[in-house]
Amino acid sequence: MQKGPLHSHIIERFDDMSEQLQQAARHILEHPQEVALVSMRELARNAGVQPSTMTRLAKFLGFPGYEDFRVQHADVIRVNADGFAARAMQRDEAGANDEGLAHRMLQSISGQIARLCEPETLSRLNDLAVRLATARRVYVLGLRSCHSVAWHFHYVMTLLGEKTVHLDGPAGTGGDALIRATADDVLLAVSINPYSRYTLEVAEAAVEKGMSVLAITDSEVSPLVTIAEHAVLFPTESHTFFHTLTPALAISEVLCGLLASHDRKGALKELKRVDSYLSSMNTYSASIPRRKI
Amino acid sequence: MQKGPLHSHIIERFDDMSEQLQQAARHILEHPQEVALVSMRELARNAGVQPSTMTRLAKFLGFPGYEDFRVQHADVIRVNADGFAARAMQRDEAGANDEGLAHRMLQSISGQIARLCEPETLSRLNDLAVRLATARRVYVLGLRSCHSVAWHFHYVMTLLGEKTVHLDGPAGTGGDALIRATADDVLLAVSINPYSRYTLEVAEAAVEKGMSVLAITDSEVSPLVTIAEHAVLFPTESHTFFHTLTPALAISEVLCGLLASHDRKGALKELKRVDSYLSSMNTYSASIPRRKI
DNA sequence: GAAGCAATGCAACAACTGTTTTAAGAATGA
DNA sequence: TCATTCTTAAAACAGTTGTTGCATTGCTTC
């Protein structure tokens, strides 16, 4: 059985408690989750104790009231269920100031990415990677906030060859490249709620051409999932007004990594070619170059 | 992300739900434990839904009322809390196969982002945010692999107003927008090793115009750091052939978050404007739209 | 257009929540 | 023994809960 968050704290002070407090404490030691799962009155009933005793116990343990006592227990459940990363931070820096915001955002993103390690997501990632590897050509589509993810995937893949085509362009011509697509090709679509209408239309058109659709999206009930052959899901929640796309970018990088590792030798060769080309073009510099503009 | 007890049941019936029910259901799919841990009203608040909608959802799913719905979720927590040791084991399987690669990549990225929480980085982030907030206009520059970061920053900022200009364009015209820049403006430059020559040239030009340069880059010895007024550093090492830009994206999102929180009211107002505009344009859809192409 | 309809927001409801107060009881010590 | 302190049960409290009925909205379907 799982220990509660205040296990040792309660034991320490147990001897100083009155009889009723001890009875309440004993019940909580044995059923820590119940604190978060039922009301105080019901917990008191189950412990054979008056409701007020629970309040008194919480105060005895140094809480301002029972409510905060329960929050502590609820947090433990949340953290235990989610995994491991964010244990330390969670509550200790709940300030609304700006530095606190940055801290909370980073912790949260880090935790979200760590949670992508669950077996289900890993296996979905693998499915996607395999399908991408076997496709003749990969059309990549991501609009608005998802553009960065789609484009980055495409960019990295261009370093490995010319297998991908980025569906984007001025004057609404983005989807036109699909004209040459065949059933041997796949569409990799990235979209989050609210789902861009155009993305869905292009995906639907791809399906009608007999192409497979692979989705990187935010929910099991995303419209993309219903028409996709494979899908990987990622969280987008953030402490700000916006969604976060960092987990999505992580996923796209993982896909690139998987694809490269499928064909290590080929990847290395392509990278060398790109390398020598770019250096012949004088694309990069290690220091501030003499001004030319 | 732990699945709820009714995960599949909800997904099955999702398409038959009304808009509000879907919104509620979506939130529950993503936060199943919360059903047991907070009150219905609070859950509804977090889901952005009326309390009655939760009751209706419960009934829609075949429960007599919300209360029984919650009991079901609480039971799952009770059961899961015990089979917790099993989960701890599975996370330490680091083979050299592909699934292992994905696992290692995600763990590593998650750790890199968590490490951005060190005080030095946080204070640098804050410096950058303050400078961005006081600037008249922000020119955003990121080429090649850094395009995704720069563009995403720009995109989010466009939701908050028209303070940013993205330095990018076809036919090498990217830097031209700087023509109208003045000393009241700043340049936000994103670059990693190897540093794109063009980025450095534009940054240098900005300095000569009297602008401040703010850098998001990968090293204390990045050429950008020497000419930047403020800089934030991020790691790029990856288990693959490529650099990771996920930490950089996280940083850019944090900056957006900080800027929005500097002016919460203004941000909210702008977001509402964007919202009503986009919905008037019929940009988004919740389901696969009837084909138009 | 108009009629019908499902979907949604809102306000009122009783029931229940966690807390505080009160007073009776038990234990302690001189 | 009586006075004092500590403990407990019960009741009263304001606030919140889950629920329901009703009015309004927006959308089909004649």
Side-chain angles (χ1 to χ4, degrees):
Chain A
M1 174 176 327
Q2 169 101 354
K3 271 187 202 171
L6 302 164
H7 191 82
S8 52
H9 185 194
I10 293 177
I11 292 179
E12 255 174 38
R13 308 229 37 209
F14 193 80
D15 292 332
D16 300 339
M17 296 180 191
S18 75
E19 192 182 331
Q20 295 292 299
L21 285 189
Q22 288 195 348
Q23 188 167 339
R26 171 167 282 123
H27 186 260
I28 289 176
L29 283 176
E30 287 166 10
H31 310 283
Q33 320 112 330
E34 294 302 303
V35 175
L37 296 178
V38 305
S39 77
M40 186 205 75
R41 283 177 121 100
E42 190 169 341
L43 190 70
R45 233 169 287 143
N46 297 339
V49 158
Q50 289 284 336
S52 26
T53 304
M54 285 296 172
T55 300
R56 292 181 183 127
L57 176 63
K59 293 192 174 176
F60 180 86
L61 292 173
F63 291 85
Y66 181 84
E67 210 106 33
D68 301 68
F69 183 67
R70 152 192 282 148
V71 167
Q72 185 114 342
H73 284 259
D75 281 344
V76 169
I77 290 181
R78 279 185 257 257
V79 171
N80 276 353
D82 284 354
F84 48 104
R87 172 141 354 172
M89 68 94 177
Q90 205 67 29
R91 280 284 157 186
D92 53 12
E93 191 141 7
N97 60 344
D98 276 1
E99 216 172 273
L101 174 66
H103 192 261
R104 270 176 294 143
M105 282 183 71
L106 291 170
Q107 291 279 14
S108 144
I109 294 175
S110 167
Q112 286 171 324
I113 292 178
R115 238 165 288 141
L116 292 176
C117 288
E118 68 173 9
E120 159 124 23
T121 303
L122 291 181
S123 99
R124 283 175 179 234
L125 273 170
N126 206 55
D127 293 345
L128 228 69
V130 168
R131 191 67 187 82
L132 286 170
T134 58
R136 190 190 63 138
R137 176 154 288 143
V138 177
Y139 292 85
V140 188
L141 174 61
L143 298 181
R144 309 202 140 263
S145 57
C146 299
H147 165 84
S148 42
V149 177
W151 190 86
H152 192 254
F153 177 83
H154 167 71
Y155 174 78
V156 175
M157 290 303 288
T158 57
L159 303 180
L160 294 178
E162 35 185 3
K163 190 168 179 172
T164 64
V165 177
H166 186 211
L167 293 179
D168 194 11
T173 62
D176 294 3
L178 268 190
I179 292 169
R180 296 196 214 303
T182 74
D184 294 334
D185 304 329
V186 301
L187 174 71
L188 178 63
V190 189
S191 188
I192 65 173
N193 187 16
Y195 308 99
S196 151
R197 189 180 192 83
Y198 188 66
T199 299
L200 300 178
E201 285 174 0
V202 172
E204 178 74 8
V207 168
E208 303 213 346
K209 291 189 76 137
M211 300 170 64
S212 292
V213 172
L214 306 179
I216 300 180
T217 187
D218 61 347
S219 162
E220 199 78 63
V221 293
S222 158
L224 279 181
V225 171
T226 63
I227 62 170
E229 186 180 318
H230 297 292
V232 188
L233 308 182
F234 60 89
T236 63
E237 262 189 15
S238 158
H239 294 113
T240 67
F241 300 120
F242 324 107
H243 289 139
T244 173
L245 275 140
T246 307
L249 191 71
I251 280 180
S252 99
E253 288 187 337
V254 169
L255 285 176
C256 292
L258 291 176
L259 284 167
S261 86
H262 278 179
D263 177 21
R264 297 183 78 81
K265 255 194 289 185
L268 264 173
K269 209 176 68 186
E270 281 296 334
L271 280 171
K272 271 201 186 128
R273 246 170 66 181
V274 170
D275 215 43
S276 69
Y277 169 75
L278 288 178
S279 72
S280 82
M281 293 293 286
N282 208 11
T283 306
Y284 296 122
S285 167
S287 61
I288 300 287
R290 282 175 282 299
R291 167 174 48 108
K292 287 202 317 195
I293 53 177
Chain B
M1 204 188 320
Q2 166 108 349
K3 272 188 201 168
L6 302 163
H7 189 82
S8 52
H9 185 196
I10 293 176
I11 292 175
E12 258 174 35
R13 308 229 39 208
F14 191 82
D15 290 331
D16 300 337
M17 296 180 193
S18 74
E19 196 180 327
Q20 291 297 107
L21 286 187
Q22 289 195 347
Q23 188 166 339
R26 185 184 295 269
H27 187 260
I28 289 176
L29 282 176
E30 287 166 12
H31 309 281
Q33 320 109 334
E34 296 299 303
V35 175
L37 295 179
V38 307
S39 75
M40 184 205 77
R41 281 177 122 102
E42 189 168 342
L43 189 71
R45 235 168 287 144
N46 297 338
V49 157
Q50 290 282 340
S52 25
T53 305
M54 285 295 171
T55 300
R56 287 170 184 144
L57 177 63
K59 294 192 173 173
F60 179 88
L61 292 173
F63 292 84
Y66 181 84
E67 212 105 32
D68 301 66
F69 182 67
R70 157 195 274 144
V71 167
Q72 187 117 343
H73 284 258
D75 284 343
V76 170
I77 290 182
R78 281 185 255 259
V79 172
N80 274 2
D82 295 339
F84 147 82
R87 215 169 320 127
M89 299 197 337
Q90 81 189 9
R91 72 172 72 111
D92 306 325
E93 32 139 338
N97 57 346
D98 275 2
E99 217 172 272
L101 173 65
H103 193 264
R104 270 176 293 142
M105 281 184 72
L106 291 170
Q107 292 278 15
S108 145
I109 294 175
S110 165
Q112 287 170 324
I113 292 178
R115 239 165 287 136
L116 291 176
C117 287
E118 65 175 8
E120 158 121 23
T121 304
L122 291 181
S123 99
R124 283 175 179 235
L125 273 169
N126 207 55
D127 293 346
L128 229 69
V130 168
R131 191 68 188 81
L132 286 170
T134 57
R136 192 190 61 140
R137 176 155 288 143
V138 177
Y139 291 87
V140 188
L141 175 61
L143 298 181
R144 309 205 139 262
S145 57
C146 298
H147 165 85
S148 43
V149 177
W151 190 89
H152 192 254
F153 178 83
H154 167 71
Y155 174 77
V156 175
M157 291 303 289
T158 58
L159 302 179
L160 294 179
E162 34 187 1
K163 191 170 179 172
T164 65
V165 178
H166 186 213
L167 294 179
D168 195 10
T173 62
D176 294 3
L178 267 191
I179 292 169
R180 295 194 216 304
T182 74
D184 294 334
D185 305 328
V186 302
L187 174 72
L188 179 64
V190 190
S191 188
I192 64 173
N193 187 15
Y195 307 99
S196 150
R197 189 181 191 83
Y198 188 66
T199 299
L200 300 178
E201 286 174 359
V202 172
E204 179 72 9
V207 169
E208 303 213 349
K209 291 189 76 140
M211 299 170 64
S212 291
V213 172
L214 306 179
I216 300 180
T217 188
D218 62 346
S219 160
E220 202 72 68
V221 295
S222 157
L224 279 180
V225 171
T226 64
I227 62 169
E229 187 180 317
H230 297 293
V232 188
L233 307 182
F234 60 89
T236 63
E237 305 100 49
S238 160
H239 293 115
T240 67
F241 299 120
F242 324 107
H243 289 140
T244 173
L245 274 139
T246 306
L249 191 71
I251 280 180
S252 99
E253 287 187 337
V254 169
L255 284 176
C256 292
L258 290 176
L259 284 167
S261 87
H262 278 180
D263 177 21
R264 297 184 78 80
K265 256 195 288 185
L268 265 172
K269 211 178 66 185
E270 281 296 334
L271 280 172
K272 274 204 185 125
R273 247 171 64 181
V274 171
D275 215 43
S276 69
Y277 171 74
L278 288 178
S279 74
S280 82
M281 293 293 287
N282 209 10
T283 307
Y284 297 122
S285 167
S287 61
I288 299 286
R290 283 176 279 299
R291 168 173 48 107
K292 286 202 318 195
I293 52 178

